[in-house]
Coordinates of all heavy atoms in Angstrom, one line a residue:
M27 N -29.1 -102.8 16.9 CA -27.7 -102.4 17.0 C -27.0 -102.9 15.7 O -26.1 -102.2 15.2 CB -27.1 -103.1 18.2 CG -25.9 -102.3 18.8 SD -26.1 -100.5 19.0 CE -24.4 -100.1 19.3
K28 N -27.3 -104.0 15.2 CA -26.7 -104.6 14.0 C -27.0 -103.8 12.8 O -26.2 -103.6 11.9 CB -27.2 -106.1 13.8 CG -26.0 -107.0 13.9 CD -26.5 -108.4 13.6 CE -25.4 -109.4 13.5 NZ -25.8 -110.7 13.1
L29 N -28.2 -103.3 12.8 CA -28.7 -102.5 11.6 C -27.9 -101.2 11.5 O -27.5 -100.8 10.4 CB -30.2 -102.2 11.8 CG -30.9 -101.5 10.6 CD1 -31.0 -102.4 9.4 CD2 -32.2 -100.9 11.0
I30 N -27.6 -100.6 12.6 CA -26.8 -99.3 12.6 C -25.4 -99.6 12.1 O -24.9 -98.8 11.2 CB -26.7 -98.7 14.1 CG1 -28.1 -98.2 14.5 CG2 -25.7 -97.6 14.1 CD1 -28.3 -97.9 16.0
I31 N -24.8 -100.7 12.5 CA -23.5 -101.0 12.0 C -23.5 -101.3 10.4 O -22.7 -100.8 9.7 CB -22.9 -102.3 12.7 CG1 -22.6 -101.9 14.2 CG2 -21.7 -102.8 12.0 CD1 -22.5 -103.1 15.1
Y32 N -24.6 -101.9 10.0 CA -24.8 -102.2 8.6 C -24.9 -100.9 7.8 O -24.3 -100.7 6.8 CB -26.0 -103.1 8.4 CG -26.4 -103.3 7.0 CD1 -25.6 -104.2 6.2 CD2 -27.5 -102.7 6.4 CE1 -25.8 -104.4 4.8 CE2 -27.8 -103.0 5.0 CZ -26.9 -103.8 4.3 OH -27.2 -104.0 3.0
I33 N -25.7 -100.0 8.4 CA -25.9 -98.7 7.7 C -24.6 -97.9 7.6 O -24.3 -97.3 6.6 CB -27.0 -97.8 8.5 CG1 -28.4 -98.5 8.2 CG2 -27.0 -96.4 8.0 CD1 -29.5 -98.0 9.1
L34 N -23.9 -97.9 8.7 CA -22.6 -97.2 8.8 C -21.6 -97.8 7.7 O -20.9 -97.1 7.1 CB -21.9 -97.3 10.2 CG -22.5 -96.3 11.2 CD1 -21.9 -96.7 12.6 CD2 -22.1 -94.9 10.9
F35 N -21.7 -99.1 7.6 CA -20.8 -99.8 6.6 C -21.1 -99.4 5.2 O -20.3 -99.1 4.4 CB -20.9 -101.4 6.8 CG -20.1 -102.2 5.8 CD1 -18.7 -102.2 6.0 CD2 -20.8 -102.8 4.8 CE1 -18.0 -103.0 5.0 CE2 -20.0 -103.5 3.9 CZ -18.6 -103.6 4.0
V36 N -22.4 -99.4 4.9 CA -22.9 -99.0 3.6 C -22.5 -97.5 3.3 O -22.0 -97.2 2.2 CB -24.4 -99.2 3.4 CG1 -25.0 -98.5 2.2 CG2 -24.8 -100.7 3.5
F37 N -22.7 -96.7 4.3 CA -22.3 -95.3 4.2 C -20.8 -95.1 3.9 O -20.4 -94.3 3.1 CB -22.7 -94.6 5.4 CG -22.4 -93.1 5.4 CD1 -23.2 -92.3 4.6 CD2 -21.4 -92.5 6.2 CE1 -22.9 -90.9 4.5 CE2 -21.2 -91.1 6.1 CZ -21.9 -90.3 5.3
F38 N -20.0 -96.0 4.6 CA -18.5 -95.9 4.5 C -18.1 -96.4 3.1 O -17.3 -95.7 2.4 CB -17.9 -96.9 5.6 CG -16.4 -96.8 5.6 CD1 -15.8 -95.7 6.1 CD2 -15.7 -97.9 5.2 CE1 -14.4 -95.7 6.1 CE2 -14.3 -97.9 5.2 CZ -13.6 -96.8 5.7
V39 N -18.7 -97.4 2.6 CA -18.4 -97.9 1.2 C -18.8 -96.9 0.2 O -18.1 -96.6 -0.7 CB -19.2 -99.3 1.0 CG1 -19.1 -99.7 -0.5 CG2 -18.6 -100.4 1.8
Y40 N -20.0 -96.2 0.4 CA -20.4 -95.2 -0.5 C -19.5 -94.0 -0.5 O -19.1 -93.5 -1.6 CB -21.8 -94.7 0.0 CG -22.3 -93.5 -0.7 CD1 -22.8 -93.5 -2.0 CD2 -22.3 -92.2 0.0 CE1 -23.3 -92.4 -2.6 CE2 -22.8 -91.1 -0.6 CZ -23.2 -91.2 -1.9 OH -23.7 -90.0 -2.5
K41 N -19.0 -93.6 0.7 CA -18.0 -92.5 0.8 C -16.7 -92.9 0.0 O -16.2 -92.0 -0.7 CB -17.7 -92.3 2.2 CG -18.7 -91.3 2.9 CD -18.1 -89.9 2.9 CE -19.1 -88.9 3.6 NZ -18.5 -87.6 3.6
I42 N -16.2 -94.1 0.2 CA -15.0 -94.6 -0.4 C -15.1 -94.5 -1.9 O -14.3 -94.0 -2.6 CB -14.6 -96.0 0.1 CG1 -14.2 -96.0 1.6 CG2 -13.5 -96.6 -0.8 CD1 -12.8 -95.7 1.9
S43 N -16.2 -95.1 -2.4 CA -16.4 -95.2 -3.9 C -16.5 -93.8 -4.5 O -16.0 -93.5 -5.5 CB -17.6 -96.0 -4.2 OG -18.8 -95.4 -3.7
K44 N -17.2 -92.9 -3.7 CA -17.3 -91.5 -4.2 C -16.0 -90.8 -4.2 O -15.6 -90.1 -5.2 CB -18.3 -90.8 -3.2 CG -19.0 -89.6 -3.9 CD -19.9 -88.9 -2.9 CE -20.5 -87.7 -3.6 NZ -21.3 -86.9 -2.6
Y45 N -15.1 -91.1 -3.2 CA -13.8 -90.5 -3.1 C -12.9 -91.0 -4.2 O -12.2 -90.3 -4.8 CB -13.2 -90.9 -1.7 CG -11.8 -90.4 -1.6 CD1 -11.5 -89.1 -1.3 CD2 -10.7 -91.3 -1.7 CE1 -10.1 -88.7 -1.2 CE2 -9.4 -90.9 -1.6 CZ -9.1 -89.6 -1.3 OH -7.8 -89.2 -1.2
L46 N -13.1 -92.3 -4.6 CA -12.3 -92.9 -5.7 C -12.7 -92.4 -7.1 O -11.9 -92.3 -8.0 CB -12.4 -94.4 -5.6 CG -11.6 -95.1 -4.4 CD1 -11.9 -96.6 -4.4 CD2 -10.1 -94.8 -4.5
L47 N -14.0 -92.2 -7.2 CA -14.5 -91.8 -8.5 C -14.4 -90.3 -8.8 O -14.2 -89.9 -9.9 CB -16.0 -92.2 -8.6 CG -16.3 -93.7 -8.7 CD1 -17.8 -93.9 -8.6 CD2 -15.8 -94.2 -10.1
T48 N -14.5 -89.4 -7.7 CA -14.5 -88.0 -7.9 C -13.2 -87.4 -8.5 O -13.3 -86.6 -9.5 CB -14.8 -87.3 -6.6 OG1 -16.0 -87.9 -6.1 CG2 -15.1 -85.8 -6.8
P49 N -12.0 -87.8 -8.1 CA -10.8 -87.0 -8.6 C -10.7 -87.0 -10.1 O -10.4 -86.0 -10.7 CB -9.7 -87.8 -8.0 CG -10.2 -88.4 -6.7 CD -11.6 -88.7 -7.1
S50 N -10.9 -88.2 -10.8 CA -10.8 -88.3 -12.2 C -11.8 -87.4 -12.9 O -11.5 -86.7 -13.9 CB -11.0 -89.7 -12.7 OG -12.3 -90.2 -12.4
V51 N -13.0 -87.3 -12.4 CA -14.0 -86.5 -13.0 C -13.7 -85.0 -12.8 O -13.7 -84.2 -13.8 CB -15.4 -86.7 -12.3 CG1 -16.4 -85.7 -12.8 CG2 -15.9 -88.2 -12.6
S52 N -13.2 -84.6 -11.6 CA -12.9 -83.2 -11.4 C -11.7 -82.7 -12.1 O -11.6 -81.6 -12.6 CB -12.8 -82.9 -9.9 OG -11.7 -83.6 -9.4
S53 N -10.7 -83.6 -12.3 CA -9.5 -83.2 -13.0 C -9.8 -83.1 -14.5 O -9.2 -82.2 -15.1 CB -8.4 -84.2 -12.8 OG -8.7 -85.5 -13.3
K54 N -10.6 -83.9 -15.0 CA -11.0 -83.8 -16.4 C -11.7 -82.4 -16.6 O -11.5 -81.8 -17.6 CB -12.0 -84.9 -16.7 CG -11.5 -85.9 -17.8 CD -12.6 -86.9 -18.1 CE -11.9 -88.2 -18.6 NZ -13.0 -89.3 -18.7
R55 N -12.6 -82.1 -15.7 CA -13.3 -80.8 -15.8 C -12.4 -79.6 -15.7 O -12.5 -78.7 -16.4 CB -14.3 -80.7 -14.6 CG -15.8 -80.7 -15.1 CD -16.7 -80.5 -14.0 NE -17.7 -81.6 -13.9 CZ -18.3 -82.0 -12.8 NH1 -18.1 -81.4 -11.7 NH2 -19.2 -83.0 -12.9
K56 N -11.3 -79.8 -14.9 CA -10.3 -78.7 -14.7 C -9.6 -78.5 -16.0 O -9.4 -77.4 -16.4 CB -9.3 -79.1 -13.6 CG -9.2 -78.0 -12.5 CD -8.2 -78.5 -11.5 CE -8.5 -77.9 -10.1 NZ -7.7 -78.5 -9.1
V57 N -9.2 -79.6 -16.7 CA -8.4 -79.5 -17.9 C -9.3 -78.8 -19.0 O -8.8 -77.9 -19.7 CB -8.0 -80.9 -18.4 CG1 -7.5 -80.8 -19.9 CG2 -6.9 -81.5 -17.5
Y58 N -10.6 -79.2 -19.0 CA -11.5 -78.5 -19.9 C -11.6 -77.1 -19.7 O -11.6 -76.2 -20.6 CB -12.9 -79.2 -19.8 CG -13.8 -78.8 -20.9 CD1 -13.7 -79.2 -22.2 CD2 -14.9 -78.0 -20.6 CE1 -14.5 -78.9 -23.2 CE2 -15.8 -77.6 -21.6 CZ -15.6 -78.1 -22.9 OH -16.5 -77.7 -23.9
R59 N -11.7 -76.7 -18.4 CA -11.8 -75.3 -18.0 C -10.6 -74.5 -18.4 O -10.7 -73.4 -18.9 CB -12.1 -75.2 -16.5 CG -13.1 -74.0 -16.2 CD -13.3 -73.9 -14.7 NE -14.2 -75.0 -14.2 CZ -14.1 -75.6 -13.0 NH1 -13.1 -75.2 -12.2 NH2 -14.9 -76.5 -12.6
N60 N -9.4 -75.1 -18.2 CA -8.2 -74.5 -18.6 C -8.1 -74.3 -20.1 O -7.5 -73.2 -20.5 CB -7.0 -75.3 -18.1 CG -6.8 -75.2 -16.6 OD1 -7.3 -74.3 -16.0 ND2 -6.0 -76.1 -16.0
A61 N -8.6 -75.2 -20.8 CA -8.6 -75.1 -22.3 C -9.4 -73.9 -22.7 O -9.2 -73.3 -23.8 CB -9.0 -76.3 -23.0
D62 N -10.4 -73.6 -21.9 CA -11.3 -72.5 -22.2 C -10.8 -71.1 -21.8 O -11.3 -70.1 -22.1 CB -12.7 -72.7 -21.6 CG -13.6 -73.4 -22.5 OD1 -13.3 -73.5 -23.7 OD2 -14.7 -73.7 -22.1
A63 N -9.7 -71.2 -21.0 CA -9.1 -69.9 -20.5 C -8.6 -69.0 -21.6 O -8.3 -69.4 -22.7 CB -7.9 -70.3 -19.6
A64 N -8.6 -67.7 -21.3 CA -8.4 -66.6 -22.2 C -7.3 -66.9 -23.3 O -7.6 -66.7 -24.5 CB -8.0 -65.4 -21.5
D65 N -6.1 -67.4 -22.9 CA -5.0 -67.5 -23.8 C -5.2 -68.6 -24.9 O -4.6 -68.5 -25.9 CB -3.7 -67.7 -23.1 CG -3.2 -66.4 -22.5 OD1 -3.8 -65.4 -22.8 OD2 -2.2 -66.4 -21.8
D66 N -5.9 -69.6 -24.5 CA -6.1 -70.8 -25.5 C -7.4 -70.6 -26.3 O -7.8 -71.6 -26.9 CB -6.1 -72.1 -24.7 CG -4.7 -72.4 -24.2 OD1 -3.7 -71.9 -24.8 OD2 -4.6 -73.0 -23.2
L67 N -8.0 -69.5 -26.2 CA -9.3 -69.3 -26.9 C -9.0 -69.2 -28.4 O -8.1 -68.5 -28.9 CB -9.8 -67.9 -26.4 CG -11.3 -67.7 -26.5 CD1 -12.1 -68.6 -25.6 CD2 -11.6 -66.2 -26.2
M68 N -10.0 -69.8 -29.2 CA -9.9 -69.7 -30.6 C -10.7 -68.5 -31.0 O -11.9 -68.4 -30.7 CB -10.5 -70.9 -31.3 CG -9.7 -72.2 -31.1 SD -8.1 -72.1 -32.0 CE -8.6 -72.4 -33.7
I69 N -10.1 -67.6 -31.7 CA -10.8 -66.4 -32.2 C -10.6 -66.2 -33.7 O -9.7 -66.8 -34.3 CB -10.4 -65.1 -31.4 CG1 -8.8 -64.9 -31.4 CG2 -10.9 -65.0 -30.1 CD1 -8.4 -63.6 -30.9
K70 N -11.5 -65.4 -34.3 CA -11.6 -65.3 -35.7 C -10.9 -64.0 -36.1 O -11.2 -62.9 -35.5 CB -13.1 -65.3 -36.1 CG -13.3 -65.5 -37.6 CD -14.8 -65.8 -37.8 CE -15.2 -65.2 -39.1 NZ -16.7 -65.3 -39.3
D71 N -10.1 -64.1 -37.1 CA -9.5 -62.9 -37.7 C -10.6 -62.1 -38.5 O -11.2 -62.7 -39.4 CB -8.4 -63.3 -38.7 CG -7.6 -62.1 -39.3 OD1 -8.2 -61.2 -39.8 OD2 -6.4 -62.2 -39.2
P72 N -10.8 -60.9 -38.2 CA -11.9 -60.1 -38.9 C -11.6 -59.8 -40.3 O -12.5 -59.5 -41.1 CB -12.1 -58.8 -38.1 CG -10.8 -58.7 -37.3 CD -10.2 -60.0 -37.1
V73 N -10.4 -59.9 -40.7 CA -10.0 -59.6 -42.1 C -10.1 -60.8 -43.0 O -10.8 -60.8 -44.0 CB -8.5 -59.0 -42.2 CG1 -8.1 -58.7 -43.6 CG2 -8.5 -57.7 -41.4
C74 N -9.3 -61.9 -42.7 CA -9.3 -63.1 -43.6 C -10.2 -64.2 -43.1 O -10.3 -65.2 -43.7 CB -7.9 -63.6 -43.8 SG -7.2 -64.2 -42.3
E75 N -10.9 -64.0 -41.9 CA -11.8 -64.9 -41.3 C -11.2 -66.3 -41.0 O -11.9 -67.3 -41.2 CB -13.1 -65.0 -42.2 CG -13.8 -63.7 -42.4 CD -15.2 -63.8 -43.0 OE1 -15.4 -64.7 -43.7 OE2 -16.0 -62.9 -42.7
V76 N -10.0 -66.3 -40.6 CA -9.3 -67.5 -40.3 C -9.3 -67.6 -38.7 O -9.2 -66.6 -38.1 CB -7.8 -67.5 -40.8 CG1 -6.9 -68.4 -40.0 CG2 -7.8 -67.9 -42.3
Y77 N -9.5 -68.8 -38.2 CA -9.5 -69.1 -36.8 C -8.1 -69.4 -36.3 O -7.4 -70.1 -37.0 CB -10.4 -70.2 -36.4 CG -11.9 -69.8 -36.4 CD1 -12.6 -69.9 -37.6 CD2 -12.5 -69.3 -35.3 CE1 -14.0 -69.5 -37.6 CE2 -13.8 -68.9 -35.3 CZ -14.5 -69.0 -36.5 OH -15.9 -68.6 -36.5
F78 N -7.7 -68.8 -35.2 CA -6.4 -69.0 -34.6 C -6.4 -68.9 -33.1 O -7.4 -68.3 -32.6 CB -5.4 -68.0 -35.2 CG -5.8 -66.6 -35.0 CD1 -5.3 -65.9 -33.9 CD2 -6.6 -65.9 -35.8 CE1 -5.7 -64.6 -33.6 CE2 -7.0 -64.6 -35.6 CZ -6.5 -63.9 -34.5
L79 N -5.4 -69.3 -32.4 CA -5.3 -69.2 -31.0 C -5.0 -67.7 -30.6 O -4.1 -67.1 -31.2 CB -4.2 -70.1 -30.4 CG -4.5 -71.6 -30.3 CD1 -3.3 -72.3 -29.9 CD2 -5.7 -71.9 -29.4
K80 N -5.8 -67.2 -29.6 CA -5.6 -65.9 -29.2 C -4.2 -65.5 -28.8 O -3.7 -64.4 -29.1 CB -6.5 -65.6 -28.0 CG -6.7 -64.1 -27.6 CD -7.7 -63.9 -26.5 CE -7.8 -62.5 -26.1 NZ -8.7 -62.3 -25.0
K81 N -3.5 -66.5 -28.1 CA -2.1 -66.3 -27.7 C -1.1 -66.1 -28.9 O -0.1 -65.5 -28.7 CB -1.7 -67.3 -26.7 CG -1.6 -68.7 -27.3 CD -1.0 -69.7 -26.4 CE -1.0 -71.1 -27.0 NZ -0.5 -72.1 -26.1
D82 N -1.5 -66.7 -30.0 CA -0.6 -66.6 -31.2 C -1.0 -65.4 -32.1 O -0.3 -65.1 -33.1 CB -0.8 -67.8 -32.1 CG -0.2 -69.1 -31.3 OD1 0.7 -68.9 -30.5 OD2 -0.7 -70.2 -31.6
G83 N -2.1 -64.7 -31.7 CA -2.5 -63.6 -32.5 C -1.7 -62.3 -32.4 O -0.9 -62.1 -31.5
I84 N -1.9 -61.4 -33.4 CA -1.3 -60.1 -33.4 C -2.3 -59.1 -32.7 O -3.4 -58.9 -33.2 CB -0.9 -59.6 -34.8 CG1 -0.1 -60.7 -35.5 CG2 -0.2 -58.2 -34.8 CD1 1.3 -60.9 -35.0
F85 N -1.8 -58.5 -31.6 CA -2.7 -57.6 -30.9 C -2.8 -56.2 -31.4 O -1.7 -55.7 -31.9 CB -2.2 -57.6 -29.4 CG -3.0 -56.6 -28.5 CD1 -4.3 -57.0 -28.1 CD2 -2.5 -55.4 -28.2 CE1 -5.0 -56.1 -27.3 CE2 -3.2 -54.5 -27.4 CZ -4.5 -54.8 -27.0
L86 N -4.0 -55.7 -31.4 CA -4.1 -54.3 -31.8 C -5.1 -53.6 -30.9 O -6.2 -54.1 -30.7 CB -4.6 -54.2 -33.3 CG -5.0 -52.8 -33.8 CD1 -3.8 -51.9 -33.9 CD2 -5.8 -52.9 -35.1
N87 N -4.8 -52.4 -30.4 CA -5.7 -51.6 -29.6 C -6.3 -50.6 -30.5 O -5.7 -49.6 -30.9 CB -5.0 -51.0 -28.4 CG -6.0 -50.4 -27.4 OD1 -7.1 -50.0 -27.7 ND2 -5.6 -50.3 -26.1
F88 N -7.5 -50.9 -31.0 CA -8.1 -50.1 -32.0 C -9.2 -49.2 -31.4 O -10.3 -49.7 -31.1 CB -8.7 -50.9 -33.1 CG -9.2 -50.1 -34.3 CD1 -8.3 -49.6 -35.2 CD2 -10.5 -49.9 -34.5 CE1 -8.7 -48.9 -36.3 CE2 -10.9 -49.2 -35.6 CZ -10.0 -48.6 -36.5
G89 N -8.9 -48.0 -31.1 CA -9.9 -47.1 -30.4 C -10.4 -47.6 -29.1 O -11.6 -47.5 -28.8
G90 N -9.5 -48.2 -28.3 CA -9.8 -48.7 -27.0 C -10.4 -50.1 -27.1 O -10.6 -50.8 -26.0
K91 N -10.6 -50.6 -28.3 CA -11.1 -52.0 -28.4 C -10.0 -53.0 -28.7 O -9.1 -52.7 -29.6 CB -12.1 -52.0 -29.6 CG -13.1 -53.2 -29.6 CD -14.0 -53.1 -30.8 CE -14.7 -54.4 -31.0 NZ -15.4 -54.5 -32.3
E92 N -9.9 -54.1 -28.0 CA -8.8 -55.1 -28.1 C -9.2 -56.0 -29.3 O -10.2 -56.6 -29.3 CB -8.7 -55.9 -26.9 CG -8.0 -55.1 -25.7 CD -7.8 -56.0 -24.5 OE1 -8.0 -57.2 -24.6 OE2 -7.3 -55.4 -23.5
M93 N -8.3 -56.0 -30.3 CA -8.5 -56.9 -31.4 C -7.3 -57.7 -31.7 O -6.2 -57.4 -31.4 CB -8.8 -56.0 -32.7 CG -9.9 -55.0 -32.4 SD -10.7 -54.5 -33.9 CE -11.4 -56.0 -34.5
F94 N -7.5 -58.9 -32.3 CA -6.4 -59.8 -32.6 C -6.5 -60.3 -34.0 O -7.6 -60.5 -34.6 CB -6.5 -61.1 -31.7 CG -6.2 -60.7 -30.2 CD1 -7.2 -60.3 -29.3 CD2 -4.9 -60.9 -29.8 CE1 -6.8 -60.0 -28.0 CE2 -4.6 -60.5 -28.5 CZ -5.5 -60.1 -27.6
F95 N -5.4 -60.4 -34.6 CA -5.3 -60.8 -36.0 C -4.3 -62.0 -36.2 O -3.4 -62.1 -35.4 CB -4.8 -59.6 -36.9 CG -5.8 -58.5 -36.8 CD1 -5.6 -57.5 -35.8 CD2 -6.8 -58.3 -37.7 CE1 -6.5 -56.4 -35.7 CE2 -7.7 -57.3 -37.5 CZ -7.5 -56.3 -36.5
C96 N -4.5 -62.7 -37.3 CA -3.6 -63.9 -37.5 C -2.2 -63.5 -37.9 O -1.3 -64.3 -37.7 CB -4.3 -64.8 -38.6 SG -4.2 -64.2 -40.2
S97 N -2.1 -62.3 -38.5 CA -0.7 -61.9 -39.0 C -0.6 -60.4 -39.0 O -1.7 -59.7 -39.0 CB -0.5 -62.4 -40.4 OG -1.4 -61.9 -41.3
P98 N 0.6 -59.8 -39.0 CA 0.7 -58.4 -39.1 C 0.1 -57.8 -40.3 O -0.4 -56.7 -40.3 CB 2.2 -58.1 -39.0 CG 2.8 -59.4 -38.4 CD 1.9 -60.5 -38.8
E99 N 0.1 -58.6 -41.4 CA -0.5 -58.1 -42.7 C -2.0 -57.9 -42.5 O -2.5 -56.9 -43.0 CB -0.3 -59.2 -43.8 CG 1.2 -59.3 -44.3 CD 2.1 -60.1 -43.4 OE1 1.6 -60.9 -42.6 OE2 3.3 -59.8 -43.4
C100 N -2.7 -58.8 -41.8 CA -4.1 -58.6 -41.6 C -4.4 -57.4 -40.7 O -5.4 -56.7 -40.9 CB -4.7 -59.9 -41.0 SG -4.9 -61.2 -42.3
R101 N -3.5 -57.2 -39.7 CA -3.7 -56.1 -38.8 C -3.6 -54.8 -39.6 O -4.4 -53.9 -39.5 CB -2.6 -56.1 -37.7 CG -2.7 -55.0 -36.7 CD -1.5 -54.9 -35.9 NE -0.3 -54.6 -36.8 CZ 0.9 -54.8 -36.5 NH1 1.2 -55.1 -35.3 NH2 1.9 -54.6 -37.3
D102 N -2.5 -54.7 -40.5 CA -2.3 -53.5 -41.3 C -3.5 -53.3 -42.2 O -3.9 -52.1 -42.4 CB -1.0 -53.6 -42.0 CG 0.2 -53.6 -41.1 OD1 0.0 -53.3 -39.9 OD2 1.3 -54.0 -41.5
K103 N -4.0 -54.4 -42.8 CA -5.1 -54.3 -43.7 C -6.3 -53.7 -43.0 O -7.0 -52.9 -43.6 CB -5.4 -55.7 -44.3 CG -5.9 -55.7 -45.7 CD -5.9 -57.2 -46.2 CE -6.8 -57.3 -47.4 NZ -6.8 -58.8 -47.8
F104 N -6.5 -54.2 -41.8 CA -7.7 -53.8 -41.0 C -7.6 -52.3 -40.7 O -8.6 -51.5 -40.8 CB -7.8 -54.6 -39.7 CG -8.9 -54.2 -38.9 CD1 -10.2 -54.7 -39.1 CD2 -8.7 -53.3 -37.8 CE1 -11.3 -54.3 -38.3 CE2 -9.8 -52.9 -37.0 CZ -11.1 -53.4 -37.2
V105 N -6.4 -51.9 -40.3 CA -6.2 -50.4 -39.9 C -6.4 -49.6 -41.2 O -7.1 -48.5 -41.1 CB -4.8 -50.2 -39.4 CG1 -4.4 -48.8 -39.2 CG2 -4.6 -50.9 -38.0
K106 N -5.9 -50.0 -42.3 CA -6.0 -49.3 -43.6 C -7.5 -49.2 -43.9 O -8.0 -48.1 -44.3 CB -5.3 -50.0 -44.7 CG -4.6 -49.1 -45.6 CD -3.8 -49.8 -46.7 CE -2.3 -49.7 -46.6 NZ -1.6 -50.5 -47.6
L107 N -8.2 -50.3 -43.9 CA -9.7 -50.3 -44.2 C -10.5 -49.4 -43.3 O -11.4 -48.7 -43.8 CB -10.2 -51.7 -44.1 CG -9.9 -52.7 -45.3 CD1 -10.2 -54.1 -44.9 CD2 -10.7 -52.3 -46.6
N108 N -10.1 -49.4 -42.1 CA -11.0 -48.6 -41.1 C -10.5 -47.1 -41.0 O -11.3 -46.3 -40.5 CB -10.9 -49.3 -39.7 CG -11.8 -50.5 -39.7 OD1 -13.0 -50.4 -39.5 ND2 -11.2 -51.6 -40.0
S109 N -9.4 -46.8 -41.5 CA -9.0 -45.4 -41.5 C -9.4 -44.7 -42.7 O -9.5 -43.5 -42.8 CB -7.4 -45.3 -41.3 OG -6.8 -46.0 -42.3
N110 N -9.8 -45.4 -43.8 CA -10.3 -44.9 -45.0 C -11.7 -44.3 -44.9 O -12.1 -43.4 -45.6 CB -10.3 -45.9 -46.2 CG -8.9 -46.1 -46.7 OD1 -8.0 -45.3 -46.4 ND2 -8.7 -47.1 -47.5
K111 N -12.4 -44.8 -43.9 CA -13.8 -44.5 -43.7 C -14.0 -43.0 -43.2 O -13.2 -42.6 -42.4 CB -14.5 -45.4 -42.7 CG -15.0 -46.7 -43.4 CD -15.6 -47.7 -42.4 CE -15.9 -49.0 -43.1 NZ -16.3 -50.0 -42.1
Ligands
ZN19 ZN1 -5.7 -63.0 -41.2

């Protein structure tokens, strides 16, 4: 009978410590996952090869393909280069 109480106690302590340790780990993971979300993604400008945040980029729908550029100048340059072909 004493052994069962001891086992339950150990299990209880284990549960408590797990409960106390888990939130910090999962919240850290959540922040990391949010940083990886679409809008905070770092993408490369195909014209000047500069990296920038997708949310700060200039959007262009080029023949159904979604493209992002660091500035309107790069977007115009890309359109010009690809329409000459
Ligand atoms: Zn650029």
Side-chain angles (χ1 to χ4, degrees):
M27 207 50 192
K28 243 186 171 180
L29 187 70
I30 290 165
I31 291 162
Y32 177 71
I33 288 166
L34 280 172
F35 178 74
V36 168
F37 183 70
F38 185 71
V39 168
Y40 169 76
K41 274 261 184 181
I42 292 273
S43 64
K44 209 179 172 189
Y45 175 77
L46 289 173
L47 288 171
T48 309
S50 63
V51 173
S52 65
S53 66
K54 243 183 210 171
R55 242 181 240 157
K56 231 180 209 172
V57 167
Y58 188 71
R59 215 180 286 146
N60 285 344
D62 267 352
D65 282 353
D66 290 331
L67 200 70
M68 289 295 284
I69 50 172
K70 196 170 145 186
D71 184 308
V73 176
C74 65
E75 301 194 334
V76 154
Y77 284 89
F78 58 92
L79 284 175
K80 191 176 177 181
K81 64 175 179 180
D82 295 332
I84 306 296
F85 175 75
L86 172 70
N87 192 330
F88 190 77
K91 202 179 165 192
E92 287 185 4
M93 304 203 68
F94 290 87
F95 301 88
C96 71
S97 65
E99 287 78 23
C100 282
R101 181 198 56 196
D102 293 345
K103 211 170 165 184
F104 179 84
V105 170
K106 218 181 248 178
L107 281 167
N108 284 275
S109 56
N110 282 346
K111 275 177 187 172

